[in-house]
Amino acid sequence: MLTREIRARLARPLSRIVNEKELMKLVNVVKPTMIITVGDVVTATLIALGREPEVAIFDFKTKREESRYRFHYDVVVNNPRSSITDEAMEVIKEAIRRHRRVKVEGEEDLLALPAVLYAPERSIVIYGQPDEGMVPIVVEESVKKFVERIIEAMPYFAPRPIEEIDKLLPR
């Protein structure tokens, strides 16, 4: 789960909010090595604009309600709300390497972070800002470092190895 400080920082967009026209202008100027979409509406919007993302991450939900969009997907990953699991990190890394579509069981909102972390430079990762527009992030080294710091600051509640748990039990 997220701390209050991280949640507050992530409530603000990581880049400028754009509409469809501004997004396509950016895509045409940057000529990205890869486009990665995070979210059902963003993925559907990009497809409707005639540009298939190389990687798409979605959960078939919009604002926590069932989405009207349905996409083909190659892999499914579990990722609880307000979290980024190790499994999700690995699946996204592989999806970027192999150009896959990822269906998330749980919530995909924070998965733009590992997408930025693993995307090649000059890629564009796009996520939605509900009721406002889309947030395109042009991937460069400084952005990757910023995202890495956010991920490292997130609390991590992994199950402990059984040996550690045994040491805590009364004898």
Side-chain angles (χ1 to χ4, degrees), residues 34 54-56 74-75 90-102 118:
M34 177 181 286
E54 283 78 14
V55 176
D74 306 294
V75 64
E90 288 304 314
V91 166
I92 290 170
K93 184 185 222 178
E94 187 66 12
I96 289 169
R97 193 175 76 71
R98 301 183 68 195
H99 295 207
R100 301 282 190 218
R101 289 185 177 199
V102 179
Y118 297 129

Side-chain angles (χ1 to χ4, degrees), residues 29-53:
V29 169
V30 172
K31 297 184 184 358
T33 53
M34 177 181 286
I35 294 180
I36 301 167
T37 56
V38 180
D40 295 61
V41 174
V42 172
T43 300
T45 299
L46 202 66
I47 292 169
L49 291 170
R51 179 69 196 256
E52 287 278 328

Side-chain angles (χ1 to χ4, degrees), residues 5 18 20 22 28 59 69 74 87 94 97 103 108 119 125 136 155 159 163 171:
E5 295 81 14
V18 299
E20 295 172 7
E22 293 166 318
N28 290 330
D59 60 5
Y69 304 110
D74 306 294
E87 178 190 11
E94 187 66 12
R97 193 175 76 71
K103 180 188 181 289
E108 94 288 277
V125 176
E163 297 81 16
R171 300 235 179 240

Side-chain angles (χ1 to χ4, degrees), residues 9-163:
R9 174 56 191 102
L10 293 177
R12 296 190 317 265
L14 296 177
S15 177
R16 202 181 91 183
I17 298 172
V18 299
N19 60 30
E20 295 172 7
K21 185 178 177 181
E22 293 166 318
L23 176 65
M24 293 316 293
K25 185 176 180 179
L26 177 68
V27 167
N28 290 330
V29 169
V30 172
K31 297 184 184 358
T33 53
M34 177 181 286
I35 294 180
I36 301 167
T37 56
V38 180
D40 295 61
V41 174
V42 172
T43 300
T45 299
L46 202 66
I47 292 169
L49 291 170
R51 179 69 196 256
E52 287 278 328
E54 283 78 14
V55 176
I57 304 164
F58 45 82
D59 60 5
F60 293 145
K61 292 188 180 103
T62 302
K63 297 184 194 174
R64 300 208 172 98
E65 299 292 325
E66 197 65 28
S67 171
R68 64 186 174 109
Y69 304 110
R70 289 293 176 263
F71 312 105
H72 159 78
Y73 53 91
D74 306 294
V75 64
V76 177
V77 67
N78 290 310
N79 192 72
R81 181 177 170 199
S82 300
S83 306
I84 302 174
T85 64
D86 282 346
E87 178 190 11
M89 294 280 286
E90 288 304 314
V91 166
I92 290 170
K93 184 185 222 178
E94 187 66 12
I96 289 169
R97 193 175 76 71
R98 301 183 68 195
H99 295 207
R100 301 282 190 218
R101 289 185 177 199
V102 179
K103 180 188 181 289
V104 178
E105 294 289 338
E107 192 173 272
E108 94 288 277
D109 293 4
L110 292 177
L111 299 182
L113 296 172
V116 168
L117 191 61
Y118 297 129
E121 290 209 18
R122 281 202 34 250
S123 293
I124 298 178
V125 176
I126 309 162
Y127 69 91
Q129 191 74 15
D131 301 319
E132 294 185 57
M134 295 170 283
V135 180
I137 302 167
V138 178
V139 177
E140 54 187 36
E141 192 58 34
S142 63
V143 176
K144 284 177 174 273
K145 285 183 180 180
F146 175 75
V147 164
E148 188 173 38
R149 286 196 333 263
I150 291 173
I151 291 172
E152 287 173 353
M154 293 176 74
Y156 181 66
F157 301 108
R160 291 181 174 188
I162 193 71
E163 297 81 16

